[in-house]
Amino acid sequence: MTQEKFFSRRDLLAGSLATGAVLGAGTRGLAQANADWQAGAPPEWDRILAAARSEGQVNVAGFPTLAVKMSAAFKRDTGIQLNFISGSTSTQSVRLDAEARAKNVTIDAVLSGGWELMMMRENLLEPILPQLMLPGVAPQNFRDGKYKFFDNAGQYLLLGADYVFGWLVVNTDVVKPDEIKTWKDLLDPKYRGKIAAHDPRVPGAGQGVSNWFYRAFGLEFIKDLYLGQQVKLSVDNRALMEGLVRGPTPILVGGVQSEVERFRANFKNIGVVLPEDAPGYLASGSSVIKQARGVPHPNAAKVFTNWYVSKPGQEVYESVMLAVSRRTDVNTGVPSYLIPRSGINYIDNDSEDTYFQRYGMIKTITDALGQR
């Protein structure tokens, strides 16, 4: 049983982490700390940056909570206006796909998951790798000394973050964390009707967790858990946490860290548990950057791509999304249960092959649990 007992992030990620500035509630103090993110830039960078400033703006689609801090920080560091397009990742991906096929692209970059892999296979994406040209975004700045891409080619869908997902949240007034040593402990009849979960039949956190369960334990475990234990399903992250702290459903599967931490700031009866038999899997969340071919502001898009994977860009992303950056010099104080631990062989969901295998798993799981 592990309940938030971890080594420091400095020891875990690369053995030589430099402590980054903590954004906390704002971006205070970062202007001075990140003034050198363009240090050592090749001569071509000056031309690209000047052309980007002439274009005057860049259009970026991503998770809504990023809008304010990311727009302000990018303008501060580059002088270029960032027009943030907020919305669900699925809606944004559908829009990008339609625009790319119509050759009328209005979005310069998208931060989401792996949805655009099909676009890549149809040659509708611009490669990201050739655009990374600053010393500060070279591979040695990242975990394991390399970039991580969703696509097998290692060119198009670059991960900014990689964090541990697949943990339990419990109301410690009702369920003692040490009671749950393995995931199969959840099948104890005493927990029937007391478990809630993000709906695995809907794209999002619940689907990711159920796919991981399928790979780790098989379909029978999924049926025994969700059906046999009468798990209450919802896609409302706030309602799931409210049910936990009030007590009706004191165990939560598939909770989202931003909502968990928001409640933990006000309630002392919330614990996070990583059962020993499968202590989570690696997830990228909405950190994957990609571009369609024919973007409206190509130079500003290239500047944004380099900035996003630089230290200041990743400090913004990590602090807002509570998703562990793959950079080894970023440490904004994310909760320890999200940080990959050394010596753990995590299942990694973020690969092209795994992504396309999900469709079959999703159908199998949905058929087993029944339509909504």
Side-chain angles (χ1 to χ4, degrees):
M1 162 64 57
T2 302
Q3 185 190 5
E4 299 185 72
K5 295 180 180 178
F6 304 95
F7 299 103
S8 71
R9 181 171 179 172
R10 180 180 298 273
D11 295 329
L12 297 175
L13 297 185
S16 61
L17 299 185
T19 302
V22 178
L23 280 182
T27 57
R28 51 184 169 76
L30 288 184
Q32 181 178 356
N34 296 316
D36 61 349
W37 71 277
Q38 302 173 71
E44 182 187 2
W45 178 255
D46 292 334
R47 180 192 63 77
I48 292 170
L49 186 58
R53 287 170 174 164
S54 294
E55 291 170 352
Q57 60 185 319
V58 63
N59 302 327
V60 177
F63 203 74
T65 53
L66 285 166
V68 174
K69 290 184 181 178
M70 183 164 281
S71 298
F74 183 71
K75 180 67 178 289
R76 175 202 67 206
D77 291 341
T78 67
I80 301 167
Q81 177 70 33
L82 193 160
N83 303 317
F84 200 92
I85 304 167
S86 297
S88 70
T89 55
S90 58
T91 299
Q92 291 169 343
S93 294
V94 169
R95 172 178 167 178
L96 187 71
D97 183 274
E99 290 185 358
R101 295 180 189 282
K103 293 183 170 52
N104 184 30
V105 178
T106 63
I107 304 173
D108 291 297
V110 174
L111 304 177
S112 59
W115 282 60
E116 290 80 10
L117 280 167
M118 186 60 73
M119 292 178 62
M120 179 210 67
R121 291 189 171 187
E122 297 183 37
N123 200 33
L124 295 173
L125 294 186
E126 189 73 29
I128 293 294
L129 183 62
Q131 300 182 49
L132 302 176
M133 57 190 303
L134 297 177
V137 301
Q140 60 263 29
N141 295 287
F142 296 83
R143 207 180 307 166
D144 303 321
K146 60 184 179 182
Y147 302 127
K148 184 177 180 182
F149 283 87
F150 230 113
D151 56 289
N152 293 339
Q155 293 275 332
Y156 296 91
L157 291 89
L158 177 65
L159 279 69
D162 212 12
Y163 61 96
V164 177
F165 199 63
W167 21 264
L168 285 170
V169 188
V170 299
N171 181 325
T172 56
D173 291 337
V174 182
V175 178
K176 301 306 177 187
D178 287 344
E179 293 179 16
I180 305 174
K181 293 181 171 59
T182 71
W183 286 97
K184 292 184 180 179
D185 287 341
L186 292 180
L187 304 182
D188 191 312
K190 69 182 179 180
Y191 297 133
R192 186 172 295 123
K194 297 184 179 300
I195 304 172
H198 199 285
D199 198 328
R201 300 165 298 181
V202 180
Q207 203 164 81
V209 170
S210 67
N211 287 349
W212 170 57
F213 281 158
Y214 187 93
R215 296 173 68 187
F217 303 117
L219 184 62
E220 288 307 310
F221 172 77
I222 291 174
K223 292 193 292 186
D224 289 344
L225 176 61
Y226 289 94
L227 298 179
Q229 293 294 76
Q230 301 173 8
V231 173
K232 296 176 174 57
L233 303 177
S234 174
V235 294
D236 187 330
N237 293 311
R238 179 173 180 174
L240 288 168
M241 285 302 300
E242 287 177 343
L244 182 135
V245 297
R246 290 201 313 269
T249 49
I251 301 174
L252 172 59
V253 177
V256 176
Q257 62 263 33
S258 57
E259 203 67 30
V260 171
E261 291 306 308
R262 190 170 74 84
F263 273 79
R264 285 181 98 188
N266 297 295
F267 296 91
K268 304 305 180 185
N269 62 340
I270 299 173
V272 178
V273 180
L274 289 91
E276 295 171 354
D277 54 342
Y281 65 95
L282 294 183
S284 57
S286 298
S287 74
V288 185
I289 184 171
K290 73 282 294 187
Q291 296 176 6
R293 292 192 180 274
V295 297
H297 310 104
N299 293 289
K302 186 172 292 187
V303 171
F304 176 78
T305 296
N306 281 268
W307 178 86
Y308 171 67
V309 296
S310 73
K311 183 181 178 183
Q314 282 298 292
E315 284 178 330
V316 171
Y317 186 87
E318 181 181 275
S319 66
V320 172
M321 299 298 288
L322 301 184
V324 183
S325 173
R326 295 202 73 255
R327 288 191 65 98
T328 58
D329 58 355
V330 171
N331 184 2
T332 64
V334 297
S336 58
Y337 60 85
L338 300 169
I339 300 172
R341 291 180 285 158
S342 60
I344 301 295
N345 185 24
Y346 296 101
I347 290 178
D348 191 348
N349 276 346
D350 295 328
S351 71
E352 182 175 343
D353 295 336
T354 300
Y355 184 84
F356 285 106
Q357 290 170 3
R358 289 182 193 175
Y359 291 109
M361 288 189 286
I362 290 169
K363 184 179 187 308
T364 298
I365 293 168
T366 301
D367 288 345
L369 300 183
Q371 299 293 330
R372 295 183 70 192

